[in-house]
Amino acid sequence: MSTATPPGIVVVVSSADGSIRATLTGNGLNLPNDVAFDGERVMVTSFFEGVSYWRAADLAPLGFFSTGGFGVAPLSVCSDGINFWVAFSLSNGLGRF
């Protein structure tokens, strides 16, 4: 059975047993689109809004950064272990955080 996750929420699931570890809300989340982990932090993109950071150890919010709205909407994110790289829709841009 699958349940839908409401907009603006990210559910953190244990890879070991599939149990829900936490639910991320607030901190700028609005239509979360993609998530990346760099070993210490978690970044979530919110379409048409910006990116949100959390500390991975305790999932405490570290901040939200606006990317400027339509045209520079963050679509996808990945990490090289040092930086987060964000792909922006419509502008075909790439940003480093």
Side-chain angles (χ1 to χ4, degrees):
M1 172 186 241
S2 175
T3 58
T5 302
I9 293 176
V10 174
V11 177
V12 180
V13 179
S14 169
S15 63
D17 61 11
S19 65
I20 295 175
R21 306 292 289 179
T23 301
L24 304 179
T25 60
N27 196 27
L29 284 180
N30 183 16
L31 300 174
N33 212 35
D34 201 10
V35 178
F37 171 63
D38 72 354
E40 294 180 13
R41 301 165 297 165
V42 175
M43 178 183 268
V44 180
T45 62
S46 289
F47 200 65
F48 295 121
E49 299 290 333
V51 295
S52 302
Y53 282 107
W54 278 268
R55 185 174 36 240
D58 58 5
L59 297 172
L62 296 175
F64 170 79
F65 303 94
S66 174
T67 56
F70 194 77
V72 287
L75 182 61
S76 189
V77 63
C78 66
S79 172
D80 61 12
I82 298 170
N83 301 296
F84 285 105
W85 295 89
V86 178
F88 298 103
S89 67
L90 305 177
S91 67
N92 295 321
L94 182 66
R96 179 173 55 117
F97 288 82

